[in-house]
Amino acid sequence: MRRMLRPILVACALALTACGHAVTAEPPAAARTQVPSHTPAAAPLVATPEVCPLPDSGFECDFQKRIKAAEDYAETRPGTTGFVLRDRKSGAVWRNDHAGDMTWTASTIKLAMVVNLLERHRAGKIKLSTQDRSLMNAMLHTSDDDAADSLWKKYTGATFNAAFGKYGMTDLVPQKGYTSAFPYWGFEKCTADDLDRLMNYVLDSVPADDRAYILGQMRQVGPVQQWGVWGPDSGAKNGWSEEEGGWVMNSVGFVGQDERYTLAIMNNLKGEGAYDEGRATDTEITRLLFR
């Protein structure tokens, strides 16, 4: 019986080894995964920095690209176009090269007239009648010239002009030699900077009730003014006329929630185009910036 014990033990040892319980065998060389010592390390991924065209403007990169597109477009259009864009939340302001050009105001000055009438009424210096307020509505809604004439005459043109600088229109100059009455709202020149300051005076300094009235009127202008800065999230006061030197097409207003942005555009066509071209220019500049 003893002679049978050793073969049995050997057989059991071999069986355990085959099952991997007694000896851990190293895998064959062909099954091993090795990284050759000469394989270079993978190069780190480096993001290409975004190119922003106006890095010192204060606007975010996407807005910089929009501004650049608007400027490039304006350069292709008839005449010259000055515009001022302001982000009222961040404080960033962009003025293009023609923002300081003296240009006929056309009917944009009616916005300043309304501000002055409401200011004088609130101070008790005048008492606006129902008819006066109807004329103010007409000036803002359809840019009615006869309404402006009536109010200018009734409440003294020189008094209006003396106040306009307070609203930021510090470059404004009434033009002599065009009418017997001087100054006259219909013959004045200012800059896109003036209109920018006027719009922001309305938003920052006009008392809340009067401001709400003005903004409501600007949001709901009639079809004759539904171009330029005007849009579904905007309000505008536009001015257009054929003046000495050619047509001017101007638009000033606000855009966005809580009137975050303001935009003033003055397009002096200089005889190179007329109403249709100017209207298209102002509207496309606004679209490139906001739509």
Side-chain angles (χ1 to χ4, degrees):
M1 295 295 291
R2 291 178 183 277
R3 288 193 295 268
M4 296 297 295
L5 180 59
R6 183 176 179 82
I8 292 172
L9 291 173
V10 172
C12 288
L14 291 171
L16 289 171
T17 300
C19 293
H21 294 288
V23 179
T24 303
E26 190 171 332
R32 298 181 201 143
T33 302
Q34 294 183 344
V35 178
S37 60
H38 65 274
T39 302
L45 296 176
V46 179
T48 302
E50 188 173 14
V51 178
C52 303
L54 306 167
D56 298 326
S57 67
F59 287 89
E60 294 180 355
C61 195
D62 178 65
F63 226 126
Q64 293 177 35
K65 294 174 183 178
R66 290 174 174 268
I67 294 169
K68 183 64 166 58
E71 287 210 321
D72 290 346
Y73 168 76
E75 290 298 317
T76 70
R77 301 297 294 164
T80 57
T81 304
F83 71 86
V84 181
L85 169 68
R86 184 181 297 269
D87 182 342
R88 291 168 45 77
K89 183 175 180 179
S90 72
V93 181
W94 181 261
R95 298 175 173 88
N96 80 338
D97 290 342
H98 294 287
D101 292 0
M102 292 295 288
T103 306
W104 294 103
T105 65
S107 291
T108 56
I109 202 170
K110 293 170 185 172
L111 176 59
M113 288 177 62
V114 169
V115 171
N116 182 250
L117 288 167
L118 292 172
E119 180 180 75
R120 283 197 263 172
H121 175 81
R122 187 174 286 273
K125 296 178 180 179
I126 62 173
K127 184 174 177 58
L128 293 171
S129 66
T130 301
Q131 177 62 19
D132 292 335
R133 292 186 178 274
S134 179
L135 293 172
M136 289 165 54
N137 292 348
M139 280 203 302
L140 293 176
H141 187 67
T142 59
S143 203
D144 189 288
D145 288 350
D146 291 337
D149 284 345
S150 296
L151 291 168
W152 189 265
K153 181 177 180 180
K154 180 176 181 178
Y155 292 110
T156 313
T159 305
F160 281 109
N161 260 93
F164 290 160
K166 175 184 175 182
Y167 311 146
M169 303 187 78
T170 53
D171 298 324
L172 180 76
V173 177
Q175 303 296 299
K176 293 182 178 181
Y178 294 94
T179 59
S180 57
F182 179 83
Y184 174 59
W185 71 266
F187 291 103
E188 312 224 17
K189 288 185 178 182
C190 76
T191 67
D193 281 320
D194 285 318
L195 294 183
D196 163 68
R197 291 188 290 260
L198 170 62
M199 188 68 250
N200 282 276
Y201 180 88
V202 172
L203 293 170
D204 292 334
S205 301
V206 170
D209 290 348
D210 293 342
R211 180 172 66 249
Y213 162 73
I214 293 171
L215 299 189
Q217 291 290 317
M218 293 177 73
R219 290 184 187 278
Q220 300 172 15
V221 295
V224 71
Q225 292 194 93
Q226 292 179 4
W227 50 272
V229 182
W230 183 86
D233 59 346
S234 313
K237 178 68 197 82
N238 294 342
W240 61 99
S241 60
E242 186 174 13
E243 302 283 2
E244 181 180 76
W247 277 82
V248 294
M249 300 293 292
N250 306 326
S251 186
V252 60
F254 53 85
V255 181
Q257 185 176 5
D258 299 323
E259 300 82 43
R260 174 171 176 173
Y261 301 97
T262 58
L263 178 61
I265 307 172
M266 300 194 84
N267 181 203
N268 182 359
L269 287 123
K270 298 184 176 181
E272 298 173 11
Y275 175 91
D276 289 340
E277 290 83 0
R279 174 171 171 152
T281 295
D282 292 4
T283 302
E284 180 64 7
I285 286 174
T286 306
R287 188 195 69 78
L288 288 168
L289 291 171
F290 296 109
R291 312 302 185 206

